Amino acid sequence: MTARGTLFRETMRGRVRLAGEAADRPVRLDLLARCDGLLLPHRTTRARLTGRVRIAGRADDPRVTGELEISPLARRRIRYRLGFDLEGRRLLLDGWKSVWATRPLTSLTVLPYTLYEDGAPVGAGTLRFPLVTGLLPFLAGFRFPRAPRPEAGPHLAPRWDGTPGRTEVWYTTLTDPASGSGLWLHHEVVAPHDGTPAYAHGWAALFPKDGPPAHARFGPTPWTGPADGFTAGDTRVAPGHLTGSAGPFTWALTEQPQGPPLHTFPRWSWRRPRLPAAHMLPATRAHYSGTVRHAGGELRITAAPGASARIYGHGNARRWAWLHADLGGGDVLEIVAAVPHRRGLDRLPPLVFLRLYRDGRTWPRRAERTAVGWAGAGRFRADIGLPRWRVRGRAGLRRITVTVTQPPDATLALGYTDPDGSTAVCRNSERADADIHLERWWGHWRPEAAWRLSGTAHAEVGDR
């Protein structure tokens, strides 16, 4: 199914007073907003923001990302929340235009805002939309592209058919934009090789910005096989909702899919499980809101970017690396690089499955391309290690280099047990860094796009 989305650009200028400074500084904000549906004034519409912020003498960040809430009638406001870098510090701009029928021009053109760092205010100012010079370009720039309608629910249904020796996973990772904390919820079903009953278990892990990761496990409990997702005691994954508890952790989150499904492995491998494992995302990205309670307090989450994913197969690989990177503006990079745990195949170098979802299209077009190339030539390569690992490769007229860094103090080691009883260890960080460089061939290699994620990449390295 397809639907119309909305895309528009907006430029605002103004002033800001930073903490510790005696004078205001000029500010310019250039934004691109993308909505998955039509922008209608009588309802609340959420859009993804990307763009550039410039603060005279202090900041010039071309990789701004954030969220826009457009609700002129329902909530009488248009709210902007976006993050940017200022001299190595990560700041959050939060402000809204208050819409009043008695002051329509001021309501829609003046944006008072506050700057925050780690939840504490560090500046304030006002931005204004230049009505005289900006209105016509603003209106002429509206576009209504067709986009796949996000429908993650059908992909949450269990795949296991009762065959011994299988494992199935539902997991969710996200980054809270306000606190910078990362969250990992892992839900797993294991059907042992010896035919004993399948069991469900998992864990919750929190990666705070200012402290070490903490986690707790739930289960194991007998697997009851719900029709629409995962259930283990009071822990549940269902379309649009994630709830549960593990030790001192309790969580209740809503999930709003923000894109079409993304098959990391070949699409046919999810329908016909003939490979050692298959991996896919029911939606390229999602927004999460709700609460997570833990031993250190409570985390309130609003429109946090992240994603859920599904795995089905025979168990864990011999060695693997994984990355989920939300690049902003609806763009996502997903990587799985793995050495199979099968005799003979375990001598191969890592097979790389890389999927870049950008501007509504997926590159490379076929998932097999990065793993095997053409007749074995031209496949992508991975150098797996810690704290840094790298993936490089070329497909068609583009090539990409991805460097992932997992800070040791923000990496958590957890053990897995496969259906055959063997064990593996993963080292996961929901506060990883990633440098991504995309180039295109125009007679010679030229930069096409670059992204730098600091503490917002989700990554993992595992081995036996």
Side-chain angles (χ1 to χ4, degrees):
M1 299 177 64
T2 60
R4 291 286 182 180
T6 306
L7 183 149
F8 63 91
R9 298 179 183 273
E10 183 178 19
T11 295
M12 290 182 285
R13 300 172 183 267
R15 314 285 294 183
V16 65
R17 177 73 62 89
L18 297 174
E21 295 192 348
D24 293 347
R25 291 178 180 268
V27 179
R28 174 172 173 150
L29 196 60
D30 298 287
L31 297 175
L32 172 65
R34 302 171 190 254
C35 312
D36 290 325
L38 291 176
L39 199 166
L40 299 175
H42 67 278
R43 70 184 186 188
T44 299
T45 303
R46 297 188 184 277
R48 302 178 296 276
L49 292 176
T50 55
R52 182 178 184 180
V53 62
R54 282 171 276 192
I55 301 177
R58 295 295 301 271
D60 185 358
D61 187 355
R63 295 183 294 271
V64 169
T65 59
E67 308 288 339
L68 175 63
E69 178 195 275
I70 308 169
S71 186
L73 298 181
R75 298 184 179 179
R76 294 195 299 182
R77 72 180 187 185
I78 302 174
R79 185 175 186 179
Y80 297 73
R81 287 171 57 87
L82 50 94
F84 66 95
D85 290 332
L86 184 147
E87 299 173 344
R89 301 155 58 194
R90 189 66 178 173
L91 302 188
L92 173 70
L93 184 154
D94 188 2
W96 58 84
K97 302 172 182 176
S98 299
V99 179
W100 298 95
T102 56
R103 295 182 288 121
L105 291 182
T106 302
S107 296
L108 297 174
T109 59
V110 178
L111 173 66
Y113 64 90
T114 303
L115 299 180
Y116 295 91
E117 183 180 19
D118 297 333
V122 294
T126 302
L127 289 162
R128 288 178 171 83
F129 177 80
L131 195 61
V132 175
T133 60
L135 182 59
L136 287 180
F138 173 72
L139 296 176
F142 269 78
R143 298 290 183 270
F144 304 96
R146 291 189 179 273
R149 188 183 301 277
E151 292 184 359
H155 297 285
L156 294 181
R159 298 297 313 280
W160 184 57
D161 60 2
T163 304
R166 298 290 189 272
T167 185
E168 185 168 5
V169 176
W170 296 251
Y171 71 82
T172 298
T173 60
L174 60 91
T175 300
D176 175 38
S179 66
S181 298
L183 180 67
W184 177 24
L185 301 177
H186 181 94
H187 316 81
E188 183 173 354
V189 175
V190 178
H193 266 292
D194 59 11
T196 54
Y199 61 90
H201 73 112
W203 53 79
L206 183 67
F207 296 75
K209 186 176 181 179
D210 55 356
H215 81 284
R217 294 179 180 264
F218 62 86
T221 63
W223 173 242
T224 57
D228 59 349
F230 175 94
T231 298
D234 62 354
T235 299
R236 181 168 173 75
V237 178
H241 299 277
L242 299 100
T243 57
S245 63
F249 286 86
T250 61
W251 60 92
L253 300 174
T254 60
E255 179 182 60
Q256 294 181 327
Q258 300 293 313
L262 182 67
H263 289 265
T264 320
F265 286 31
R267 188 182 299 266
W268 57 262
S269 69
W270 187 253
R271 298 193 304 266
R272 298 184 295 275
R274 295 173 181 171
L275 296 180
H279 181 279
M280 63 88 62
L281 280 67
T284 52
R285 63 194 297 270
H287 289 164
Y288 298 87
S289 298
T291 58
V292 179
R293 294 182 176 87
H294 53 96
E298 181 178 272
L299 183 65
R300 294 182 179 272
I301 297 171
T302 302
S308 291
R310 301 277 280 109
I311 302 172
Y312 182 60
H314 296 263
N316 293 283
R318 175 167 291 276
R319 186 161 56 101
W320 73 90
W322 161 79
L323 170 71
H324 174 80
D326 191 320
L327 307 178
D331 300 340
V332 167
L333 176 65
E334 193 80 16
I335 297 176
V336 174
V339 178
H341 188 49
R342 285 186 177 179
R343 185 172 298 178
L345 297 179
D346 58 2
R347 298 180 179 274
L348 295 174
L351 299 177
V352 177
F353 295 93
L354 180 147
R355 312 297 282 152
L356 175 62
Y357 182 79
R358 181 170 178 245
D359 295 332
R361 296 184 177 182
T362 304
W363 175 85
R365 292 182 61 185
R366 297 188 63 87
E368 299 92 336
R369 178 69 179 84
T370 60
V372 299
W374 296 108
R379 67 176 183 80
F380 285 43
R381 301 183 183 276
D383 300 315
I384 300 177
L386 283 174
R388 184 174 290 107
W389 54 276
R390 178 174 295 174
V391 169
R392 290 174 283 190
R394 170 184 174 179
L397 297 178
R398 289 184 172 90
R399 71 180 183 183
I400 194 170
T401 301
V402 182
T403 303
V404 180
T405 303
Q406 298 184 209
D409 59 352
T411 297
L412 176 66
L414 287 174
Y416 291 89
T417 300
D418 283 344
D420 63 1
S422 62
T423 59
V425 176
C426 76
R427 296 165 181 86
N428 180 287
S429 177
E430 302 303 321
R431 297 206 67 255
D433 304 330
D435 284 296
I436 302 157
H437 297 274
L438 182 67
E439 299 173 288
R440 187 178 177 90
W441 178 260
W442 296 101
H444 60 89
W445 290 109
R446 298 182 182 180
E448 181 176 0
W451 299 270
R452 179 180 176 82
L453 279 65
S454 179
T456 61
H458 307 161
E460 179 177 291
V461 168
D463 56 23
R464 295 179 181 270

